[in-house]
């Protein structure tokens, strides 16, 4: 029996789709697959390497001998090399040894479609099949309703390597996260968890944003089936799972996608379009059909095989613009003479169309920091087709305002109110992400001015304002209890801080905010519509007070919100009342149980005195550095 038997999983139709960039489930064909041929068990291998002269599978099973198992090139000019190797199975490690037509250059590469990888710093691929008996039928059945744009989205962003460590200061496993993390996210009331990249990556300081194993959950925390179990457990507890996904760039590591077959296969050959100087990484060639099929297949893979509920697409701005982080002369305009990357824009639209066509109840979310128009508009209406977009301008302006000493805030209230001039131009998610607590920016609580009491009061006010501003919410781990140190990917969060009242108060407040948010249709039913928001008054700069209404479909659910951005309590503060009936306070950030001073509104004085353009008014106490929510 020959060492490599001619065998293929590809049909002519598959090849035509692949060449046209329209094969969105390439993971079912390319890579390594356990199969049986003529009664013999073994593994089928297929790899795209059009510039190769020879391609060999090497591993421990053949002593890494390049002569032993050479694959066969297909006859259809697809550039795919394939073959069946008998009697090797699950758990074997392997790589592809590629001899290039390009001056006989040799490369040794991990499988781009590997489902499992060795634990870094080892870099080989592992033949694997991950069986899992899914128990999330209920979630998958009603996910479309749960994940709609008119439903609550309170996202807890997590870096698995540093959320919590075990007693030996080592990583928790996927199985341990399925207990500890799931319980915590559920108790805190978040609707979704978002994982910073869990696809295999070689270098811990990259935080996972430099991927080498696009189809493999990182082996740092366990096996692929262990990760499936973690997603399944979240679903069984009514919590959605969003993955950070990085189609914008990839590292130059020798075993990765770069210069794969001795040519610029996955990366754009023009360094002006193919290399990121900021990240020292390579940029995908979005104009190449097979590369588009690779990336879209990868997005589909996580939604299909791992039941993931959404993808947060990283660094979209860097994809959209040819001159992103480049000086004059370092980029070339497109055919229309401007700076838009037409191939990347076309790819993004195709990606979103493929995702939303193939899956009900999922969302794609763009991390996009520019004023590019229509990011969250459907492709059919000329947009990029994302479900949501991070509201980076709001995040920047809000943090800039909160960092100011309260005495100066009256001069800068426009930093807060400006967001309402563009809040409904996109479906915005409000992010306080990991990027805001690194590189000398300080933790959120330490970016707040004042003494310790004022810092904590400011942070509670910040979170209250965030949850009542139109849009969905994202909070990076640690913020919810006032982590004092900047985030460090190498160490656990400072969970010991919860023994102190201020930190426990922040955590309790965020927990109550989440439960109020999920139970208040006024905060999510029209979160992307101007009909869901109404100012009562934004003109009281002198007292640094803002008052507004959030609205749902039923006016009985409307909420009145008042914020005081100074440490001076506003007693008997009159605001216009657009509502009929009695009002009650449903949340107050100054409640003693949160570490506040206890300035709550047990009884609200109503008056027939017109105010703020309304026929009636009320008098309330707005506590120092506090937010009051009335229903």
């Amino acid at each position: 029996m020959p060492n490599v038997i001619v065998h293929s999983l590809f049909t002519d139709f598959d090849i035509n789709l692949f060449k046209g960039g329209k094969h969105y489930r390439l993971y079912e064909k390319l890579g390594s697959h356990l199969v049986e041929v003529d009664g013999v068990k073994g593994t089928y291998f297929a790899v795209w390497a059009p510039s190769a002269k020879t391609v060999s599978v090497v591993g421990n099973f053949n002593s890494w001998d390049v002569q032993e198992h050479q694959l066969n090139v297909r006859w259809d000019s697809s550039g795919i090399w394939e073959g069946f190797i008998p009697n090797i199975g699950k758990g074997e490690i392997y790589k592809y040894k590629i001899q290039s037509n390009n001056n006989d250059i040799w490369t040794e590469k991990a499988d781009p479609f590997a489902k499992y990888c060795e634990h870094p710093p080892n870099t080989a691929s592992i033949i694997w099949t991950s069986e899992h008996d899914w128990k999330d039928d209920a979630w998958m059945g009603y996910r479309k309703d749960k994940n709609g744009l008119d439903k609550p989205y309170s996202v807890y962003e997590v870096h698995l390597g540093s959320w919590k460590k075990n007693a030996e200061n080592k990583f928790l496993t996927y199985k341990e996260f399925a207990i500890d993390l799931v319980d915590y996210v559920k108790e805190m009331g978040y609707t979704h968890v978002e994982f910073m990249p869990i696809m295999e990556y070689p270098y811990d300081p990259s935080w996972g944003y430099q991927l080498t194993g696009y189809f493999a959950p990182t082996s740092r925390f366990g096996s692929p089936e262990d990760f499936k179990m973690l997603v399944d457990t979240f679903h069984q507890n009514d919590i959605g799972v969003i993955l950070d996904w990085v189609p914008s760039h990839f590292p130059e590591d020798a075993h990765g996608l770069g210069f794969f077959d001795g040519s610029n296969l996955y990366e754009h050959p023009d360094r002006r379009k193919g290399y990121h100087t900021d990240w020292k990484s390579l940029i995908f060639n979005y104009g190449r059909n097979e590369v588009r099929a690779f990336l879209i297949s990868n997005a589909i893979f996580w939604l299909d095989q791992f039941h993931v509920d959404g993808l947060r697409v990283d660094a979209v701005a860097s994809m959209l613009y040819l001159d992103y982080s480049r000086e004059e002369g370092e980029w070339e305009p497109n055919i229309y003479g401007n700076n838009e990357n037409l191939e990347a824009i076309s790819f993004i639209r195709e990606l979103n169309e493929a995702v939303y066509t193939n899956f009900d109840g999922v969302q794609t979310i763009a991390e996009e920091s520019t004023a590019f128009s229509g990011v969250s508009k459907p492709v059919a209406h000329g947009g990029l087709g994302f479900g949501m977009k991070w509201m980076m301008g709001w995040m920047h302006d809000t943090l800039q305002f909160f960092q100011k000493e309260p005495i100066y805030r009256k001069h800068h209230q426009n930093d807060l109110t400006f967001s309402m001039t563009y809040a409904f131009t996109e479906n915005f998610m409000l992010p306080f992400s990991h990027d805001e607590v690194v590189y000398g920016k300080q933790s959120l609580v330490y970016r707040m001015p004042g003494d310790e009491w004022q810092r904590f009061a400011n942070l509670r006010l910040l979170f209250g304002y965030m949850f009542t501003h139109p849009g969905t919410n994202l909070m990076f781990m640690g913020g919810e209890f006032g982590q004092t140190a900047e985030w460090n990917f190498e160490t656990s969060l400072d969970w010991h801080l919860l023994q102190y009242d201020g930190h426990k108060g922040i955590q309790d407040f965020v927990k109550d905010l989440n439960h109020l948010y999920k139970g208040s249709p006024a905060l999510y039913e029209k979160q992307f519509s101007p009909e869901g928001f109404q100012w009562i008054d934004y003109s009281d700069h002198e007292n640094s007070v803002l008052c507004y209404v959030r609205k749902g479909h039923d006016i009985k659910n409307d909420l009145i919100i008042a914020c005081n951005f100074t440490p001076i309590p506003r007693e008997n503060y009159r605001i216009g009342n657009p509502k009929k009936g009695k009002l009650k306070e449903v949340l107050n950030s100054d409640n003693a149980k949160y570490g506040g001073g206890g300035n709550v509104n047990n009884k609200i004085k109503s008056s027939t005195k017109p105010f703020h353009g309304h026929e009636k008014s009320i008098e309330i106490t707005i506590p120092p550095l506090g937010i009051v929510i009335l229903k």
Side-chain angles (χ1 to χ4, degrees):
M1 181 181 287
N3 289 348
V4 177
I5 295 170
V6 175
H7 185 70
S8 183
L9 296 182
F10 284 92
T11 66
D12 290 344
F13 184 56
D14 285 324
I15 296 300
N16 287 333
L17 286 176
F18 177 54
K19 287 180 177 179
K22 301 299 182 183
H23 201 309
Y24 298 154
R25 295 184 186 250
L26 286 173
Y27 52 88
E28 296 175 349
K29 308 290 180 175
L30 288 166
S32 59
H33 300 269
L34 295 170
V35 296
E36 188 174 310
V37 177
D38 296 332
V40 178
K41 292 182 178 179
T43 302
Y44 165 79
F45 294 89
V47 62
W48 179 51
S51 292
K53 182 186 291 185
T54 63
V55 177
S56 301
V57 184
V58 294
N60 290 337
F61 56 87
N62 61 14
S63 302
W64 300 85
D65 185 346
V66 72
Q67 301 299 325
E68 283 290 304
H69 294 99
Q70 292 192 359
L71 298 179
N72 308 297
V73 66
R74 287 185 63 90
W75 61 91
D76 49 23
S77 72
S78 62
I80 294 172
W81 297 71
E82 61 184 351
F84 171 74
I85 302 179
N87 303 316
I88 65 168
K90 185 175 179 177
E92 289 281 3
I93 65 171
Y94 69 99
K95 283 186 177 179
Y96 296 119
K97 190 78 172 181
I98 302 171
Q99 181 186 19
S100 174
N101 277 319
N102 183 7
N103 299 320
D104 278 351
I105 292 171
W106 288 84
T107 60
E108 188 173 287
K109 295 293 186 177
D111 189 343
F113 284 85
K115 307 298 193 303
Y116 196 18
C117 303
E118 282 192 298
H119 193 298
N122 296 326
T123 57
S125 303
I126 305 174
I127 298 171
W128 204 257
T129 179
S130 56
E131 304 299 328
H132 178 74
D133 180 19
W134 289 94
K135 297 180 174 62
D136 64 349
D137 288 354
W139 168 269
M140 297 299 282
Y142 56 66
R143 176 176 73 174
K144 185 176 181 180
D145 178 62
K146 203 81 167 164
N147 259 12
L149 293 174
D150 59 349
K151 295 299 187 294
Y153 257 77
S154 179
V155 181
Y156 187 58
E157 186 190 23
V158 174
H159 177 262
L160 286 176
S162 58
W163 181 72
K164 188 182 286 186
K165 299 287 182 75
N166 66 17
E168 290 80 43
N169 199 35
K170 294 181 179 176
F171 294 140
L172 298 185
T173 65
Y174 292 128
K175 290 180 178 178
E176 290 170 321
F177 286 121
I179 300 170
D180 291 7
L181 181 59
V182 171
D183 286 350
Y184 182 73
V185 173
K186 185 176 184 179
E187 179 194 355
M188 288 299 296
Y190 292 101
T191 64
H192 294 73
V193 65
E194 179 181 316
F195 294 126
M196 291 167 65
I198 53 85
M199 302 81 183
E200 194 59 81
Y201 55 98
Y203 188 50
D204 283 351
S206 79
W207 310 337
Y209 289 97
Q210 299 272 11
L211 305 181
T212 51
Y214 270 78
F215 290 83
T218 178
S219 55
R220 287 166 174 81
F221 314 113
S223 68
E225 50 266 45
D226 292 340
F227 184 64
K228 286 182 177 178
M229 187 267 289
L230 175 58
V231 175
D232 200 350
T233 308
F234 271 114
H235 286 173
Q236 292 172 53
N237 286 274
D238 253 9
I239 298 163
V241 177
I242 301 167
L243 299 185
D244 271 13
W245 186 59
V246 190
S248 47
H249 63 111
F250 59 94
E252 291 189 282
D253 293 59
H255 69 289
L257 297 176
F259 208 56
F260 188 81
D261 59 355
S263 72
N264 302 119
L265 189 61
Y266 288 91
E267 68 272 24
H268 200 288
D270 184 342
R271 295 285 276 192
R272 293 174 297 180
K273 295 181 181 178
Y275 185 72
H276 264 305
T277 53
D278 288 359
W279 304 320
K280 307 292 188 289
S281 58
L282 301 172
I283 302 170
F284 285 103
N285 184 354
Y286 303 109
R288 190 164 192 168
N289 286 343
E290 297 90 343
V291 173
R292 292 163 77 108
F294 168 81
L295 287 170
I296 295 174
S297 290
N298 186 240
I300 298 291
F301 171 77
W302 294 103
L303 300 167
D304 173 34
Q305 298 290 298
F306 287 83
H307 290 201
V308 165
D309 308 293
L311 298 171
R312 198 281 287 182
V313 183
D314 183 63
V316 172
S318 74
M319 301 168 67
L320 295 177
Y321 295 105
L322 296 165
D323 60 346
Y324 181 87
S325 199
R326 295 181 190 276
E327 301 296 328
E328 191 173 344
E330 296 178 346
W331 63 283
E332 184 179 45
N334 63 29
I335 57 172
Y336 302 112
N338 65 39
N339 65 343
E340 291 182 355
N341 188 332
L342 302 178
E343 292 171 343
I345 291 169
S346 169
F347 160 72
I348 290 169
R349 287 174 170 153
E350 185 180 349
L351 161 74
N352 282 317
E353 283 187 310
V355 166
Y356 285 106
T357 299
N358 283 280
F359 297 93
D360 276 339
V362 301
Q363 297 292 346
T364 59
I365 305 162
E367 186 221 3
E368 204 285 307
S369 53
T370 75
F372 192 94
S373 178
V375 172
S376 59
K377 275 187 179 176
V379 173
H381 296 165
L384 292 181
F386 287 99
M388 287 177 257
K389 168 183 171 171
W390 276 17
M391 198 175 188
M392 307 295 277
W394 171 89
M395 176 275 299
H396 178 269
D397 291 347
T398 299
L399 288 178
Q400 191 173 55
F401 175 87
F402 269 84
Q403 284 175 253
K404 291 180 168 60
E405 291 288 344
I407 193 171
Y408 301 119
R409 288 178 177 175
K410 63 184 178 182
H411 304 298
H412 300 277
Q413 195 146 301
N414 186 56
D415 287 353
L416 293 185
T417 58
F418 176 68
S419 67
M420 294 313 302
T421 65
Y422 65 95
F424 305 110
T425 58
E426 301 276 4
N427 299 338
F428 280 120
M429 174 176 278
L430 315 179
F432 289 140
S433 76
H434 63 275
D435 280 327
E436 306 321 311
V437 290
V438 290
Y439 299 142
K441 294 177 183 175
Q442 295 187 298
S443 64
L444 287 181
V445 71
Y446 275 4
R447 290 171 81 166
M448 303 295 111
D451 57 24
E452 184 177 275
W453 188 93
Q454 290 188 4
R455 287 184 191 274
F456 283 110
N458 266 306
L459 189 59
R460 294 193 301 271
L461 174 57
L462 175 68
F463 289 152
Y465 168 67
M466 172 192 192
F467 272 76
T468 56
H469 188 286
T472 55
N473 311 300
L474 176 137
M475 187 183 298
F476 183 56
M477 63 183 199
E480 81 280 5
F481 63 82
Q483 166 96 359
T484 52
E486 274 196 342
W487 173 53
N488 182 346
F489 72 92
E490 294 181 299
T491 62
S492 167
L493 296 179
D494 293 331
W495 294 102
H496 65 275
L497 292 174
L498 286 169
Q499 66 185 300
Y500 303 110
D501 291 343
H503 295 279
K504 186 67 170 64
I506 292 285
Q507 186 189 53
D508 287 342
F509 182 64
V510 170
K511 186 188 303 183
D512 287 352
L513 266 177
N514 271 324
H515 288 293
L516 177 70
Y517 174 55
K518 291 192 296 185
S520 301
L523 293 177
Y524 58 78
E525 285 182 339
K526 297 181 178 180
Q527 57 196 347
F528 302 129
S529 167
E531 296 175 356
F533 179 89
Q534 176 187 351
W535 283 116
I536 294 175
D537 182 50
Y538 57 85
S539 63
D540 191 0
H541 300 263
E542 199 60 38
N543 291 310
S544 293
V545 170
L546 290 178
C547 304
Y548 47 94
V549 182
R550 290 297 308 278
K551 301 177 178 183
H553 297 308
D554 189 336
I555 60 172
K556 290 187 295 186
N557 294 324
D558 289 4
L559 298 176
I560 293 175
I561 295 104
C563 302
N564 175 11
F565 298 100
T566 73
I568 301 168
R570 306 299 174 189
E571 297 176 343
N572 301 315
Y573 190 89
R574 183 176 299 277
I575 64 173
N577 180 13
K579 304 296 298 170
K580 293 180 180 179
K582 292 183 178 179
L583 285 166
K584 67 173 181 176
E585 185 176 83
V586 292
L587 196 69
N588 186 319
S589 65
D590 199 50
N591 196 307
K593 73 173 182 174
Y594 306 136
N599 292 278
V600 298
N601 292 279
N602 293 316
K603 188 175 181 181
I604 296 167
K605 300 176 186 176
S606 296
S607 170
T608 56
K609 180 178 179 180
F611 208 67
H612 289 148
H614 297 287
E615 293 179 1
K616 297 180 180 180
S617 57
I618 55 173
E619 288 185 14
I620 58 173
T621 294
I622 315 178
L625 298 171
I627 181 171
V628 171
I629 303 175
L630 309 173
K631 184 175 180 180

